[in-house]
Amino acid sequence: MAAEVSYEQAKSRLDEVVAALEDKNLPLDDMVALWEEGEKLAALCESKLAAARAKLEAVRPSNERG
């Protein structure tokens, strides 16, 4: 995975991983590798969403925070 991946790229790849994991004929080693990749992608997406949320909170006027 590239060093700087956008949220959209990570989410798209995560969707592909989930679809691949639904294949019941997938060898166990491949399934484990995809699962690990999916975990990393999910964490990356969550991190990017948290960063975006923090930026929005920082620019939101204090009287609107609650």
Side-chain angles (χ1 to χ4, degrees):
M1 194 168 15
E4 187 57 36
V5 176
S6 71
Y7 171 82
E8 292 78 8
Q9 291 168 321
K11 176 68 170 72
S12 177
R13 178 61 187 147
L14 183 55
D15 291 342
E16 293 171 3
V17 167
V18 169
L21 284 170
E22 292 174 348
D23 179 0
K24 307 266 188 273
N25 297 317
L26 194 64
L28 181 60
D29 288 342
D30 293 347
M31 193 175 289
V32 170
L34 282 170
W35 182 272
E36 290 172 344
E37 181 183 0
E39 288 287 327
K40 290 176 186 174
L41 289 164
L44 177 64
C45 287
E46 183 59 35
S47 174
K48 288 191 176 285
L49 286 173
R53 194 174 300 120
K55 284 182 184 179
L56 291 174
E57 286 293 322
V59 297
R60 195 167 138 195
S62 60
N63 62 345
E64 290 184 17
R65 294 180 186 156

